[in-house]
């Protein structure tokens, strides 16, 4: 299901997708954080290497603090995968 590159990074989050539906999440990187809602996930691959297949997760931005390693679309969505996965993800209470 997961590539060797991503297994240790994303498998725990993937297994909790049912529990986070419709909940705000706080995603943390060293340089900042994002409050977001999980939207969907899909199989993805690097443009220059079709052998590097992995799972990407789509989120809707609620709030951004600091500088984060994501690209936010004009509609307010961003993607994370094992390349830019946050160091910590918490359900916001």
């Amino acid at each position: 299901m997961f590539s060797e590159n991503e297994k240790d990074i994303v498998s725990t989050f993937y297994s909790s997708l049912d529990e986070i539906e419709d909940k705000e999440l706080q995603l943390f990187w060293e340089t900042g954080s994002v409050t977001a809602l999980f939207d969907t996930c899909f199989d993805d691959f690097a443009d220059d290497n079709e052998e590097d297949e992995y799972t990407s997760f789509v989120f809707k931005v609620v709030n951004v603090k600091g500088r984060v390693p994501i690209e936010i679309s004009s509609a307010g969505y961003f993607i994370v995968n094992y390349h830019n996965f946050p160091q910590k993800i918490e359900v916001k209470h």
Side-chain angles (χ1 to χ4, degrees), residues 42-56 81-83:
F42 61 95
D43 291 332
D44 203 351
F45 62 92
D47 292 334
D48 59 347
N49 183 0
E50 291 188 28
E51 293 180 19
D52 185 16
E53 187 174 335
Y54 48 88
T55 303
S56 285
N81 51 54
Y82 84 93
H83 295 284

